[in-house]
Amino acid sequence: MPDYQPTPADKFTFGLWTFGNPGRDPFGEPVRERISPLRGVQKLSQLGAYGVNLHDNDLVPIDATPAERDRIVAEFKRALADHGVRVPMATTNLFSDPIFKDGAFTSSDPKVRAFALQKTMRAIDLGVELGAETYVFWGGREGAEVDAAKDPVSALKWMRECMNFLIYYVKDNGYNLRFALEAKPNEPRGDIYLATTGHMLAFIETLDDPSVCGVNPEVAHENMAGLNFVHGVAQALEMGKLFHIDLNAQKPGRFDQDLRFGSEDLKGAFLLVKLLEDYQYPGPRHFDAHAYRTEDEDGVWEFCAGCMRTYLILKEKVRRFNADPEIQGLLAEIRAGDAHLEGLMQSFSPDNARAIAALSIDRIGLGRAGRRYEKLDQLTIEVLLGAR
Ligand code: GCO
Ligand code: MN
Ligand code: MN
């Protein structure tokens, strides 16, 4: 029986803003002290995590003087080194300050866009200084309530201009840093531009150098849009664009709940872990979630440990699923190939077209044959419930 004890090799990460979430919501004040970055680094290393990620202002207050910034960063770097914790990803807070109330890169005011670029260049420098190799862009305020006020086509052009600017900034500085774009359909804006991972994948292809940009899909965000998260992640993976991933859980049809990984939709979580593990996704498994508002600090660490433990339990379930003779026998039957037919369909040629046109295929019989998916799904559920 595995002990499900995480180690840094599992590459689990948390944001300073995740365990640091004090439980404030639109209707209520904080219920617990914000856990400091230094304490977080120490606790996460004890729990077996690999790293911490951050927005610039999770670590350095927006009004810090250069001397304060240097002191805070030096102290943080010492804690990282003392506890063997990495910073694989960094990002910019382009949503909290009132200046961003109508967007950052998509603000119609060039002064706001210039400020957003200035802030992001500084935050990129900070991320690189801390060792980050992935830089996330989540455009929380890049949206609208009043569509009559802003031309959505211009908004996209401004967004592209800023992303291109930053791509060249990274190249110009010789940084080893890739961008990961994170979509969300709404919240905090009424609607956010580039609402889903699919939108982001299409947008990336319009940038000056798409090769350095991928996506950072989040479970909750695709679920808010009513989408199948595993399908979105699979598309990104297949395109070589899965640069990062935000794991959490979400009930359908609600605000962004950022729940503990696996706490809702267990089958979806299982299939997600299966996808990541079967395809050996090499990146960090980042938990972008926070503890329930009912919790004190102990509850926060229960939450962090729970995210990692559930991932490892699901990984073990994947192993069982993949090793189960009945399941694999059924899958072999369901997925039985046909080398001859597949060869014909692999690419077009006049010969292949003639051969396919001449095939006699049993339409009626194929339409009648059961696919045995009831059986397969039940066996999947039984693996999940611990009955196999
Ligand atoms: C959210 C987002 C954020 C981002 C984070 C890093 O809905 O609040 O998921 O947590 O992931 O800002 O970019
Ligand atoms: Mn979120
Ligand atoms: Mn996120």
Side-chain angles (χ1 to χ4, degrees), residues 17 55 91 95 136 138 182 184 218 221 246 256 258 288:
W17 71 94
H55 303 84
T91 180
F95 43 88
V136 162
W138 171 64
E182 176 177 352
K184 187 175 181 179
E218 173 170 318
H221 299 179
D246 278 6
D256 187 19
D258 288 337
D288 188 11

Side-chain angles (χ1 to χ4, degrees), residues 152-202:
V153 172
S154 301
L156 286 176
K157 290 199 159 84
W158 294 326
M159 182 80 178
R160 180 177 305 111
E161 207 172 81
C162 288
M163 294 308 305
N164 282 336
F165 194 97
L166 294 166
I167 287 174
Y168 292 121
Y169 180 74
V170 166
K171 290 184 194 289
D172 192 43
N173 281 279
Y175 291 155
N176 173 29
L177 192 70
R178 299 195 302 177
F179 291 173
L181 275 51
E182 176 177 352
K184 187 175 181 179
N186 59 272
E187 195 197 335
R189 297 312 297 266
D191 292 289
I192 298 178
Y193 303 127
L194 301 168
T196 70
T197 296
H199 290 78
M200 284 299 183
L201 287 170

Side-chain angles (χ1 to χ4, degrees), residues 28 73 95-96 114 131 140 142 156 163 168 178 204 215 239 246 260 267 272 278 303 343-344 362 377:
V73 173
F95 43 88
S96 293
E142 314 291 12
L156 286 176
M163 294 308 305
Y168 292 121
R178 299 195 302 177
I204 287 169
V215 289
M239 292 172 72
D246 278 6
R260 191 181 71 256
K267 191 163 71 175
L272 175 61
D278 285 352
F303 150 82
L344 290 179
D362 178 11
D377 194 66

